[in-house]
Amino acid sequence: MAKKMPETPMLDELESGPWPSFVTGIKRLANSEDKQYADKMKSLLGQLEHSYETRLGYWKGGAIGVRGYGGGVIPRFSEVADKFPESAEFHTLRIQSPSGGHYDTKTLRKLCDIWEEHGSGLMAMHGQCSDIMFQGASSAQVQPAFDALNEFGFDMGGAGPALRTAVACIGMARCEFACYDTVKVHRRIYCDPEMLDYMHRPSLPYKFKFKFSGCANDCTNSVHRSDCAVIGTWAGDIKVDQAEFKNYVRTLGRKEIIDNIITRCPTGAISLNDDDTVAIDNPNCVKCMHCIDKLTKALAVGDKRGVSILIGAKHTLKITDTMATVVVPFMPMETDEDVENLYDFCSKVFEFFMDNALEHERLGEVIDRIGLPSFLEGIGVEPDPNMVIEPRGNPYVMIDDWDREAKKWFARKPAIRAAE
Ligand code: SF4
Ligand code: SF4
C-alpha cells in the first residue's frame, strides 16, 4: 500500500515565494508512480517538517565511501529513523560536473537515468563547488551508483579535508565578458593526477578551493568562497564605441546614464561629455565591470587580457567570513605558457597551505595568523600597493601615483631587511 503524504504546513510556506522551491521538487518525486522514490520522499518531507517544528536537525554523519576513494560521499543517517524509516539513510554523492557547466541533453538524460536506477531521483545541480549532488542514496546504493556514473565518464568530487572540486564560469564559449579561457585553465589545473589525488584521498589540514571566473562579475562567487580565486581582467583601456554610446544616451536619456552608470562607478572614472560621448579615466578604472555590463554595445573589456589572483576567502570558521585579498594584480593569460605560469603559481599557494595550515584552518586564517607579509614571502611574491583589500578605501596607501610609491617601497626594502 502506498505511503500517505505527510501534512507539511510549514514546508508548504516555502512554495509560496516567487522562486522555484526545492519542496515542490521533492513533492513531485513523492507523487511519482515509482513507490521506491515516492515513499522515500514522503518520509523525507515528514522528517523535514518535523525539523522545522522542533527547530532541530536530525542528520548525523558516518563513514560511507566507494572503492579506491577516500572521500566524495556525504553520509547522512537519520536520528529519527523510527518515525521516518524510508529515509533512514540519505547519502549524497558529489560528482564533478563538466568544466563551465557544459552538458548536452543526452548526457543530462543519462545522468537522470542512472540516478533513477541506482538512487532516489533527487539531484541538485550544482553545489557551491559545482558538484552534481546526487542525493538520497541508501548505503547499499552508493557503490553501484558510483560505478554506473564512473563508467559513463564522471568522477567523484571532493569532500572533507581535501582539494575540493573547482568551478569555472561558462567562459568564452558563451560569454563575451570572459577575459580568459576559464574552462581551459580549470582543466589544466584539475586534470593533473597529483591534484586529483589530493581531491580523492583527503590528506590536507582542511578544505582548499580554487574557482575560476572570467571577469569581475564573478559568477562563481570566487571572491568570497574560494581559497584561490582566479578572476579575469584586462590591462589598459576599456574599448569604446562612441556611436553606440550616443545611441544609449539617445534612447535611455542623459539622466538614466548619469544615475545608473556614471554615479555608480566606484572610482568616478567614467564621465559623460556634453556632446553625449563618454570619457574614461582608464588608469583610475578598477575594472569592476559595471559600465560594461550595462552598456554592452558601447563598452567592452580591453584587448590585453589576463587574470587577477585573490587569496584567502572563506565562509565563517575560526574567524568570521573573509573576502579574498588581491595577491597578483595582473597575470597575462593568453598563451599556453601563461597557463603554465598560473599552474606553477597555484601549485605554490597550494603547497604553502599544505605545509603551514593547522588542522581545520583555511588559508585565509593562516594568513590572518602569520600575516600577509610572511605569506607573500612564503610563496615568493613581492608586496605591491595593489594588494590593498579596498582600493581607495585604504588609508595606508596613497593610490594617486601609487607606482611612484611602490618604487620607493622597493628601494627601501633592502634597508628594511638589513634592519631586521
Ligand atoms: Fe561571463 Fe564574467 Fe560571469 Fe564568467 S564571470 S560567465 S566571464 S560574466
Ligand atoms: Fe568605473 Fe567599473 Fe566602468 Fe571601470 S569598469 S569605468 S571602475 S564602472
Side-chain angles (χ1 to χ4, degrees):
M1 198 176 70
K3 188 179 166 73
K4 207 170 141 244
M5 186 71 114
E7 296 291 318
T8 55
M10 297 180 90
L11 292 181
D12 297 347
E13 284 284 306
L14 298 177
E15 296 183 279
S16 60
W19 303 104
S21 166
F22 71 96
V23 175
T24 311
I26 298 176
K27 282 184 182 171
R28 196 162 54 232
L29 279 173
N31 283 318
S32 86
E33 282 174 12
D34 192 317
K35 188 174 172 314
Q36 181 196 338
Y37 314 133
D39 288 357
K40 191 177 252 190
M41 293 304 141
K42 283 172 192 158
S43 183
L44 178 70
L45 286 166
Q47 174 166 338
L48 201 51
E49 182 74 14
H50 181 56
S51 275
Y52 274 61
E53 283 162 359
T54 56
R55 300 187 180 198
L56 287 172
Y58 294 101
W59 296 112
K60 61 182 176 187
I64 298 283
V66 297
R67 278 189 298 278
Y69 291 75
V73 181
I74 318 293
R76 285 293 176 265
F77 295 93
S78 172
E79 290 174 328
V80 283
D82 53 331
K83 286 192 178 70
F84 309 102
E86 293 84 357
S87 56
E89 295 172 350
F90 212 86
H91 314 312
T92 296
L93 271 76
R94 282 189 180 160
I95 299 294
Q96 292 178 61
S97 62
S99 187
H102 294 268
Y103 298 89
D104 59 19
T105 46
K106 203 170 136 208
T107 303
L108 288 168
R109 282 185 201 288
K110 176 79 177 168
L111 292 172
C112 294
D113 289 347
I114 290 173
W115 199 235
E116 278 176 9
E117 187 184 345
H118 295 287
S120 70
L122 185 67
M123 295 160 63
M125 297 177 86
H126 303 92
Q128 181 62 233
C129 290
S130 87
D131 288 302
I132 315 169
M133 312 289 266
F134 289 94
Q135 297 167 318
S138 65
S139 303
Q141 287 174 317
V142 168
Q143 185 71 50
F146 176 69
D147 289 344
L149 290 163
N150 201 221
E151 181 135 333
F152 185 44
F154 282 75
D155 200 2
M156 195 67 96
L163 178 65
R164 295 298 182 85
T165 311
V167 50
C169 76
I170 197 160
M172 287 178 161
R174 294 293 301 274
C175 183
E176 71 202 67
F177 298 148
C179 294
Y180 73 103
D181 189 341
T182 50
V183 172
K184 178 178 175 181
V185 169
H186 176 193
R187 289 181 63 82
R188 167 63 187 97
I189 292 179
Y190 270 71
C191 291
D192 178 292
E194 202 180 335
M195 286 295 200
L196 281 177
D197 203 39
Y198 286 121
M199 181 186 296
H200 292 151
R201 278 157 277 282
S203 57
L204 306 183
Y206 199 32
K207 61 179 112 168
F208 192 99
K209 299 180 183 178
F210 287 101
K211 288 186 180 223
F212 305 96
S213 280
C215 76
N217 285 325
D218 197 12
C219 295
T220 68
N221 303 333
S222 70
V223 75
H224 60 285
R225 293 303 284 269
S226 67
D227 302 271
C228 185
V230 181
I231 302 181
T233 189
W234 67 96
D237 297 354
I238 290 179
K239 291 201 285 191
V240 181
D241 183 328
Q242 294 289 9
E244 288 292 352
F245 190 88
K246 281 185 169 185
N247 271 340
Y248 276 116
V249 179
R250 208 165 25 245
T251 49
L252 299 173
R254 283 180 70 88
K255 183 172 182 319
E256 174 69 13
I257 295 285
I258 290 168
D259 288 352
N260 280 327
I261 312 290
I262 308 295
T263 56
R264 296 198 180 190
C265 170
T267 56
I270 183 168
S271 50
L272 177 59
N273 295 324
D274 290 343
D275 64 355
D276 289 352
T277 58
V278 65
I280 298 177
D281 176 11
N282 281 289
N284 274 315
C285 162
V286 287
K287 280 92 173 169
C288 77
M289 292 295 294
H290 173 68
C291 61
I292 297 172
D293 286 339
K294 290 289 182 186
L295 307 177
T296 48
K297 288 185 182 167
L299 305 173
V301 299
D303 281 332
K304 191 178 166 202
R305 298 178 189 184
V307 299
S308 296
I309 304 175
L310 295 86
I311 302 286
K314 55 154 195 60
H315 200 9
T316 310
L317 282 170
K318 292 187 180 69
I319 57 172
T320 182
D321 290 25
T322 48
M323 302 277 272
T325 299
V326 176
V327 164
V328 177
F330 185 79
M331 182 185 279
M333 201 50 54
E334 284 171 316
T335 65
D336 288 347
E337 196 186 340
D338 294 336
V339 176
E340 290 310 308
N341 288 340
L342 176 69
Y343 178 84
D344 291 345
F345 178 84
C346 289
S347 302
K348 250 190 252 173
V349 171
F350 187 54
E351 276 165 26
F352 182 91
F353 170 73
M354 288 194 285
D355 292 346
N356 293 283
L358 303 176
E359 202 181 327
H360 214 260
E361 190 179 48
R362 293 285 290 272
L363 182 55
E365 291 164 332
V366 179
I367 296 172
D368 204 57
R369 176 167 55 82
I370 65 173
L372 189 60
S374 302
F375 170 67
L376 295 176
E377 191 159 347
I379 60 168
V381 169
E382 290 289 327
D384 183 311
N386 287 312
M387 289 170 185
V388 291
I389 295 173
E390 296 173 53
R392 288 151 179 83
N394 187 315
Y396 302 109
V397 177
M398 176 90 167
I399 291 293
D400 294 333
D401 300 327
W402 69 266
D403 46 344
R404 212 172 53 208
E405 294 301 314
K407 277 186 196 136
K408 279 193 226 158
W409 194 95
F410 289 125
R412 283 201 313 272
K413 192 176 168 192
I416 296 168
R417 282 285 147 86
E420 284 170 357

